[in-house]
DNA sequence: CGCCGATTTGATCGTGGTCAACAATAGTGG
DNA sequence: CCACTATTGTTGACCACGATCAAATCGGCG
């Protein structure tokens, strides 16, 4: 009997590469951990001792300058992988944005296990390549897009990414209404703008009939075509 | 007899994971290709049919908006890997910045070969994880740093990255004088600023005695400490 | 209801973009 | 080797977007 048998991400996380015996072995070196919103998991610059799979919740990866400017460089969702195997240093901090549950491994244990299970490394490689592509696309947004384009692109991205996180029933298209898992400050930290700019852009889109904002965290996309036009 | 026997990156590229027999097999599915500065290798949005190892030269990876704004999302040097194995689409264009030599594979051939050679995938995974870390660190620069900080950070990065590309004799520390492999336009495309801004920052640093700029492409770091201070 | 943090709104300012002219260098042909 | 041109880089004037500072308002929670 192992935790993994009932794991909700058993078939989506990199664990999907493993058969039952292998899962059993992996289970032996991992442990579950609950995090509350705001809890840090890894600190930038620390020795990288941990890796993890996200079971539930959303976490952010951040880089900071010495004088305190922060940039969110990645957001991880259930089934995503966290941490830096085969490396000595963590280059970014990991912090829970919502209450979260992760499956935690000592890096050295994981490294050893991975080296013996090529199919696991293969899945991790595919995942890492995908993440690299996504990250590179985001660079174009950070460096070249206007505040308006950034916010529009962000909202469209959310409406796609939150599909399976939001509802039990599988849904194919993007969501037209969803709860933001981020505060305005965090949206600013993702887009590289200030909270005031995020706020102004969103209220302007509401005024223009593109969005509806029933509550602070709820977004309803009224005119998706217009939003896509703005996103560029 | 294979090309690989005399390959200058044989021991630094992912090929280093392979023994002589395996190299022989890989050699069978690859071919060499020369590129001139400016030649495209892969187009953004194309079906991803190619992957490659860089043997010599420098290439850029770019993303563009529909209206023509371009962002360089990565720069690859000798021994680096190019392309998107196990995926359908290329998310960015690849173009030679200098004359270059690459070792080219059909993606499907490479995918098959990689699946049979876990040690190759392991090297590729480590490389991809490193590249992801580097890319994420660059996001902080793009999103949060001032033009002055961007240029300073860029020059310091160059002085490290160009060490083994520049001179035959191995040198440990960063270079204090080097040739930029980029035009002002390309530097702007890397940093997410305009050519005028790059130019102004560099001439200001020259005026302040931090740099010397003997020719357009030559940079001499006179006061490294000051440059590091500015880079933040 | 009253408090506190999050968000919105407003006024002002500065960095870096834009547009334009000019300078310097590389490239080409006589 | 020099004249001519094309390309690349520099400099200046001006402007706009988004940052900053400040105040008002909203919303959650005891």
């Amino acid at each position: 009997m192992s935790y993994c048998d009932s794991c909700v991400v058993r078939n989506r996380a990199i664990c999907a590469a493993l058969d039952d015996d292998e899962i059993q072995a992996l289970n032996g070196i991992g442990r579950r951990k609950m995090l509350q919103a705001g809890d840090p998991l890894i600190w930038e610059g620390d020795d990288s001792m941990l890796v993890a799979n996200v079971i539930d919740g959303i976490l952010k990866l951040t880089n900071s300058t010495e004088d305190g400017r922060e940039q969110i460089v990645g957001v991880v969702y259930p089934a995503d992988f966290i941490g830096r195997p085969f490396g000595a240093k963590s280059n970014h901090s990991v912090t829970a944005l919502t209450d979260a549950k992760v499956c935690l491994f000592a890096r050295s244990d994981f490294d050893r296990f991975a080296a013996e299970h090529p199919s696991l490394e293969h899945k991790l490689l595919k995942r890492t390549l995908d993440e690299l592509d996504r990250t590179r696309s985001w660079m174009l947004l950070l460096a070249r897009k206007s505040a308006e384009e950034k916010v529009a692109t962000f909202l469209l991205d959310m409406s796609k990414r939150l599909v399976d996180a939001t509802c039990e029933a599988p849904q194919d298209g993007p969501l037209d209404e969803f709860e933001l898992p981020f505060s305005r400050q965090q949206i600013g930290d993702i887009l590289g703008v200030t909270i005031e700019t995020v706020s102004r852009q969103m209220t302007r889109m509401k005024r223009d009939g593109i969005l509806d904002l029933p509550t602070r965290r709820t977004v309803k996309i009224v005119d998706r075509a217009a939003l896509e036009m703005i996103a560029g």
Side-chain angles (χ1 to χ4, degrees), chain A residues 21-216:
Chain A
D21 287 349
E22 292 170 319
I23 273 285
Q24 200 66 29
L26 184 63
N27 188 61
I29 62 171
R31 67 176 198 279
R32 300 236 166 158
K33 181 169 183 177
M34 307 293 292
L35 297 168
Q36 289 191 296
D39 283 356
L41 181 63
I42 299 174
W43 284 106
E44 179 180 351
D46 271 10
D47 290 333
S48 130
M49 303 302 292
L50 299 172
V51 300
N53 273 310
V54 181
I55 298 170
D56 192 38
I58 301 180
L59 298 90
K60 65 172 179 178
L61 316 184
T62 56
N63 266 193
S64 302
T65 56
E66 287 162 23
D67 61 340
R69 285 169 286 179
E70 175 171 308
Q71 178 62 33
I72 295 182
V73 297
V75 181
V76 289
Y77 297 86
D80 286 345
F81 183 83
I82 293 174
R84 179 63 174 87
F86 323 118
K89 283 276 177 192
S90 300
N91 287 279
H92 31 260
S93 304
V94 181
T95 312
L97 290 179
T98 63
D99 290 348
K101 202 195 308 186
V102 299
C103 185
L104 213 57
F105 305 90
R107 190 182 59 74
S108 53
D109 290 341
F110 181 87
D111 286 2
R112 206 173 312 117
F113 186 90
E116 293 162 3
H117 296 84
S119 63
L120 184 76
E121 285 209 343
H122 182 76
K123 268 237 179 288
L124 185 55
L125 174 57
K126 283 211 281 190
R127 209 170 259 280
T128 307
L129 286 164
D130 277 343
E131 188 58 29
L132 182 56
D133 276 350
R134 220 196 324 277
T135 303
R136 281 175 168 157
S137 300
W138 208 249
M139 292 173 81
L140 177 65
L141 172 138
L142 290 177
R144 296 294 184 186
K145 290 195 176 181
S146 69
E148 186 183 34
E149 292 172 309
K150 285 181 179 181
V151 172
T153 307
F154 169 77
L155 292 173
L156 289 170
D157 191 63
M158 279 296 104
S159 86
K160 292 193 202 80
R161 294 282 280 271
L162 293 176
V163 169
D164 37 40
T166 304
C167 53
E168 312 78 29
Q171 177 174 344
D172 29 329
L175 296 167
D176 277 336
E177 184 165 0
F178 51 87
E179 288 288 296
L180 287 172
F182 308 110
S183 69
R184 294 288 185 269
Q185 180 64 59
Q186 286 157 356
I187 297 173
D189 288 344
I190 290 172
L191 298 177
V193 297
T194 59
I195 47 176
E196 293 93 328
T197 298
V198 174
S199 179
R200 275 187 252 271
Q201 293 301 333
M202 288 184 63
T203 52
R204 208 173 58 70
M205 288 177 187
K206 178 178 182 175
R207 207 188 53 223
D208 294 351
I210 296 168
L211 301 179
D212 195 16
L213 305 168
T215 79
R216 293 173 173 215

Side-chain angles (χ1 to χ4, degrees), chain A residues 3-20:
Chain A
Y3 284 125
C4 304
D5 294 334
S6 61
C7 181
V8 291
V9 297
R10 167 74 175 87
N11 295 310
R12 290 188 296 144
I14 54 173
C15 319
L18 305 174
D19 64 30
D20 289 342

